Amino acid sequence: MSCETDTIETVRNSDQRMTPQRLLVLSAIRHSGEHININQIHAQVKKAYPIINISTIYRNVAVLKELRLISETYKTDGETLYEWIGDHTHMHMMCRDCNDMIEIDDKYLDSFKKDIRDDFGFNIDIDHLAISGLCKPCKQLEQVGYDN
Amino acid sequence: MSCETDTIETVRNSDQRMTPQRLLVLSAIRHSGEHININQIHAQVKKAYPIINISTIYRNVAVLKELRLISETYKTDGETLYEWIGDHTHMHMMCRDCNDMIEIDDKYLDSFKKDIRDDFGFNIDIDHLAISGLCKPCKQLEQVGYDN
DNA sequence: TTTGCACCTGCATTTTTTTGCAATAAGCAT
DNA sequence: ATGCTTATTGCAAAAAAATGCAGGTGCAAA
Ligand SMILES: [Mn+2]
Ligand SMILES: [Mn+2]
Ligand SMILES: [Zn+2]
Ligand SMILES: [Zn+2]
């Protein structure tokens, strides 16, 4: 795993240790398509290390989240997803009706982010932003009165 | 509970029923200060109806959330909070270090919301918006290098 | 009022997530 | 290399959340 060198440093520089288990969890998330849940991480890690316990997955995900190497997203349908935070910074819009998630460039947040920082001193984490609402098709269905 | 008449109508108009248990859950959330968790709701409802089961709380909270009468917020420290959605629409900024939550007027979101609707047709739910980041004091501590 | 049906509840159980603990091992300093 | 300190792991057990089911009940239509 040569592409993880700087990540390994990040972990080590924070009084945490880089174990084989932790590296496998980290790689599973990093090299998954994009979003991955706990069971998928567990299944993936098991391929290389079958004895690993699910609690180790939970605990490592918590550590990586704390270090802001990964993000945690609660989907509108209840599923919790993890994602690698690299240089591809973006946010998500999640539809509360069809549960679809679309990816949105974080440039859309620039002005809002600035206002909040200027007026409150609060610094928004764009990497951890998932916003719920109604997507275009679902909104149209609602207006036709097709649903409620 | 005379102040719940329109709420009762909302529930009844959606092919769901208004049971005493549901009304108690609803009132507990509505009349709590602002944010309340599952156990607090359970404790509150028990005062009037001691036999109620915790699973009834979980199920009713899910229904009220689906009807958009209440919002569900995952705090940065893991706690899940519920809140009545009335006319006092607002959003929250949650600090990932000190877990403090500040309330912010939704006017700050107007421009962002419009951009997203114009460009993607996606309609953001302001009532369900809680954004994580670093609050002012925590940001200052970080810059001094006091923490990491 | 009475009836009927779909929704709800309580309870038991299952599933998911968290936690305590003793053994192990990472990483720093000899 | 070797030894120390302390984070981390696997396992078991606890706690939290979700679910199946049989009986109960809201409520709309007679
Ligand atoms: Mn993403
Ligand atoms: Mn609030
Ligand atoms: Zn949708
Ligand atoms: Zn803070």
Side-chain angles (χ1 to χ4, degrees), chain B residues 8 12 16-20 38-39 55 58-59 80:
Chain B
I8 291 172
R12 286 190 178 145
Q16 263 119 327
R17 291 162 191 181
M18 184 46 74
T19 64
I38 285 279
N39 290 328
S55 66
Y58 280 109
R59 283 189 282 221
T80 303

Side-chain angles (χ1 to χ4, degrees), chain B residues 49-60:
Chain B
Y49 190 74
I51 201 203
I52 197 164
N53 192 278
I54 184 82
S55 66
T56 302
I57 310 289
Y58 280 109
R59 283 189 282 221
N60 272 303

Side-chain angles (χ1 to χ4, degrees), chain B residues 118-137:
Chain B
D118 290 349
D119 292 2
F120 302 93
F122 188 96
N123 300 80
I124 291 174
D125 293 338
I126 36 184
D127 297 328
H128 288 255
L129 199 48
I131 298 179
S132 84
L134 267 189
C135 76
K136 193 175 199 166

Side-chain angles (χ1 to χ4, degrees), chain A residues 15-81:
Chain A
D15 123 357
Q16 262 120 331
R17 293 165 188 180
M18 183 46 75
T19 64
Q21 293 93 330
R22 181 162 293 167
L23 185 56
L24 287 167
V25 169
L26 178 158
S27 295
I29 300 172
R30 183 166 195 173
H31 298 116
S32 78
E34 252 208 12
H35 306 111
I36 185 171
N37 68 30
I38 286 280
N39 290 328
Q40 292 168 327
I41 299 170
H42 193 199
Q44 179 64 30
V45 172
K46 267 183 168 171
K47 290 182 188 170
Y49 191 74
I51 201 205
I52 196 162
N53 192 277
I54 184 82
S55 67
T56 301
I57 309 290
Y58 279 108
R59 283 189 283 221
N60 270 304
V61 154
V63 168
L64 298 174
K65 182 176 97 177
E66 186 78 16
L67 290 174
R68 296 179 53 65
L69 289 169
I70 64 173
S71 69
E72 183 181 59
T73 303
Y74 302 95
K75 279 193 69 187
T76 42
D77 64 357
E79 196 180 14
T80 303
L81 297 177

Side-chain angles (χ1 to χ4, degrees), chain A residues 94-100 133-139, chain B residues 122:
Chain A
M94 314 181 289
C95 179
R96 73 173 124 92
D97 264 23
C98 67
N99 294 313
D100 196 32
L134 267 188
C135 76
K136 194 175 198 167
C138 289
K139 178 72 177 180
Chain B
F122 188 96

Side-chain angles (χ1 to χ4, degrees), chain A residues 103-117:
Chain A
E103 189 176 309
I104 294 197
D105 194 289
D106 55 3
K107 76 172 185 208
Y108 279 91
L109 208 67
D110 287 347
S111 161
F112 173 67
K113 202 182 159 176
K114 183 178 184 310
D115 291 344
I116 298 294
R117 185 172 44 231

